[in-house]
Amino acid sequence: MVYVVGHRGAAGLVPENTIKGFCYAIDLGVDYVECDVHLSRDKQLVVMHDTTVNRTTNGHGALRDLMAARIRMLDAGEGEQVPTLDEVLETVRGEVHLLIELKGIGVEQAAVEAVKAQGMEEEVTFTSFALDRLATVRAMGDQYRLGAILPNPSEFDFARAVEMGAVGIQVHYANLNFRIVHAAYEAGLEVLAWNPDTWREQQAMIALGVDGVSTNRPDVLLNHLGRRVLDREVEAKAVEITPVDSAEGAETFLHDAVAHDATEQDITQQDTPVDYAIDDHDLNENDEWVSDFWD
């Protein structure tokens, strides 16, 4: 059975990277939640995706220029504080596995020390687009789980992930195909698809044979899988997964699903689009999204 990851909690439903969002995702019945960590000016671990507080709070400024106490005074949505990593660890302990995406230079050691201090090494996987950051974590011990985020992986990326002992790779769903999934399995790597947010997209990922799906709408996936826990008054209806017998069939299904959701309004889509900025380098000095990743 595919495992379900609540991306930044449940970013399509509840303010992202907040304790409220993580609790909501856990109550829905996810298997994992994912968060992002940065260092504040005073080297405290704060949970936020962007390099600035501009998009997700009522404040302004770069995280690296703000003291943690100041960041904590901001409203991260619906009255929520920007959480610390310690708070997130306490929230998920014994409930779900946590994916911690390492953001910003120098965050690796502080994040590892926080996880180690709480004795949660087996409940956490460290992830990053920057494989050098994962290599830094690996140098701190073989006990840490690593996940390489590879938007469109090459053979070199696979080799590097294997070399550093990663447990798996995370690939953007629009770039996934049978060849990548097969190559990953041949290398002994799990495959996590991110971030399909409609059922057709999610179903396409399952048909390709991925191990897990990370999504801003875990409610959609869990509901269709018949595993939704929260809001039991909403009937959970399991939908049959379309069988795929060949690489060609899987990729055709994926192409059709992505094309469908790019042209038709789906009832599962929220009114306000989720921000999909990929990493620190995708924002310029004016906090404008400059990535060409989607082209």
Side-chain angles (χ1 to χ4, degrees), residues 176-235:
L176 265 174
N177 55 48
F178 185 82
R179 178 189 61 80
I180 290 175
V181 173
H182 180 72
Y185 291 161
E186 287 290 304
L189 296 166
E190 294 181 1
V191 179
L192 173 66
W194 58 274
N195 277 317
D197 291 334
T198 68
W199 169 238
R200 286 180 62 87
E201 295 166 349
Q202 295 163 352
Q203 187 181 21
M205 296 301 97
I206 296 170
L208 281 176
V210 301
D211 295 284
V213 174
S214 175
T215 175
N216 298 294
R217 293 298 305 269
D219 59 320
V220 173
L221 180 53
L222 290 166
N223 195 50
H224 281 293
L225 294 176
R227 292 166 49 196
R228 180 169 171 156
V229 177
L230 189 65
D231 298 332
R232 290 184 181 275
E233 68 276 11
V234 178
E235 182 181 356

Side-chain angles (χ1 to χ4, degrees), residues 5 14 67 69 148 155 165 170 178 181-182 262 289:
V5 181
V14 184
M67 302 292 281
E155 290 184 9
Q170 301 175 24
F178 185 82
V181 173
H182 180 72
W289 188 35

Side-chain angles (χ1 to χ4, degrees), residues 99-173:
L99 303 180
I100 300 177
E101 185 176 341
L102 302 170
K103 297 281 194 178
I105 298 173
V107 74
E108 305 91 14
Q109 182 171 349
V112 168
E113 289 177 353
V115 170
K116 184 177 180 180
Q118 298 213 29
M120 294 180 63
E121 292 93 336
E122 294 185 0
E123 299 179 64
V124 168
T125 299
F126 296 99
T127 74
S128 184
F129 287 84
L131 298 190
D132 287 346
R133 292 177 190 164
L134 297 182
T136 298
V137 174
R138 175 57 70 231
M140 298 176 69
D142 292 335
Q143 69 270 37
Y144 301 112
R145 292 171 53 90
L146 307 178
I149 306 177
L150 306 172
N152 194 9
S154 66
E155 290 184 9
F156 174 78
D157 292 328
F158 279 119
R160 183 119 188 255
V162 170
E163 181 182 7
M164 68 176 57
V167 296
I169 61 172
Q170 301 175 24
V171 183
H172 184 260
Y173 79 95

